[in-house]
Amino acid sequence: MSTNTTTPGTPTATGERSSLLKLYLSRGVLAVVWAVAFAGAHKDVDAVAITLLVVYPLIDAVSSFLDLRTAPDGPERRVTLFNGVLSTVAAIAVGIAGVGDEQPVLHVFGAWAVVSGAAQVAVGIRRRGPELGKQWPMLVAGGLSVLVGVFYNIQAAGDDPSLDVLSVYATGGGVFFIVQALLLGWKSRQLRTRTV
């Protein structure tokens, strides 16, 4: 249950929905573009692949810091800030891991996916309510991120780790962000219709 007391029709609620819609849509499109680029560039863990590996958590970090502009004071804001810092650290860590091979990259990426996914679920739960909807795409995406992160660490410990899975991860996450943006747009139109 959301503790956000913003009334759906107020300028604050409308502004928050509009900001999140743009942020989620941009975040989703960038994730899909990244997935396409990485799918064709990760055959070898070279400079291009490492650069892309660093860029992906940085996209998440920048999104989190932009999200802070509209996040209300309280637990939601603290979790969003934590996720921004976490993703910045993950970008550095995955860049260092990329000097090795696929195994350390998957370990770092997997650990980041688990913690950032849990943070996404926490923020999604806080945002559930009449002004921002049920947030189910964010909740599902966060939950899947936790599970996938665990799988990546298991895979990394095996004999044949592969970075192919990262493009699938980014594509799935991007699609969920885009769906959430579309739902926010639908929510805004629905609320405008009620007030006319």
Side-chain angles (χ1 to χ4, degrees):
M1 182 174 176
S2 175
T3 57
N4 192 333
T5 57
T6 305
T7 304
T10 64
T12 301
T14 302
E16 186 178 5
R17 275 193 306 275
S18 178
S19 294
L20 285 176
L21 189 157
K22 293 172 186 173
L23 181 63
Y24 287 163
L25 185 59
S26 300
R27 172 73 174 76
V29 170
L30 282 173
V32 173
V33 169
W34 183 92
V36 172
F38 189 72
H42 75 279
K43 301 306 176 187
D44 298 307
V45 185
D46 56 14
V48 174
I50 292 172
T51 300
L52 286 170
L53 286 167
V54 169
V55 164
Y56 190 74
L58 282 180
I59 291 171
D60 196 63
V62 171
S63 296
S64 293
F65 292 132
L66 290 174
D67 198 356
L68 285 173
R69 296 180 305 172
T70 56
D73 289 331
E76 178 186 328
R77 186 176 181 83
R78 290 193 290 273
V79 173
T80 302
L81 177 60
F82 167 77
N83 194 57
V85 173
L86 170 71
S87 296
T88 302
V89 172
I92 296 168
V94 81
I96 294 169
V99 176
D101 57 14
E102 288 90 348
Q103 199 168 29
V105 168
L106 276 178
H107 274 307
V108 172
F109 211 97
W112 171 62
V114 169
V115 182
S116 66
Q120 187 171 322
V121 169
V123 171
I125 290 171
R126 301 293 301 184
R127 285 183 171 161
R128 285 171 62 89
E131 65 274 7
L132 297 176
K134 295 183 179 179
Q135 294 285 307
W136 67 262
M138 294 296 92
L139 295 172
V140 172
L144 287 175
S145 182
V146 172
L147 294 175
V148 168
V150 172
F151 168 75
Y152 288 170
N153 276 284
I154 293 171
Q155 185 186 25
D159 295 330
D160 190 27
S162 171
L163 298 184
D164 291 343
V165 291
L166 300 186
S167 290
V168 177
Y169 173 85
T171 301
V175 168
F176 278 115
F177 270 101
I178 291 169
V179 170
Q180 184 63 67
L182 294 175
L183 287 175
L184 285 174
W186 176 79
K187 185 74 173 177
S188 293
R189 286 193 298 273
Q190 189 181 43
L191 291 171
R192 280 198 302 268
T193 301
R194 288 179 184 174
T195 58
V196 172

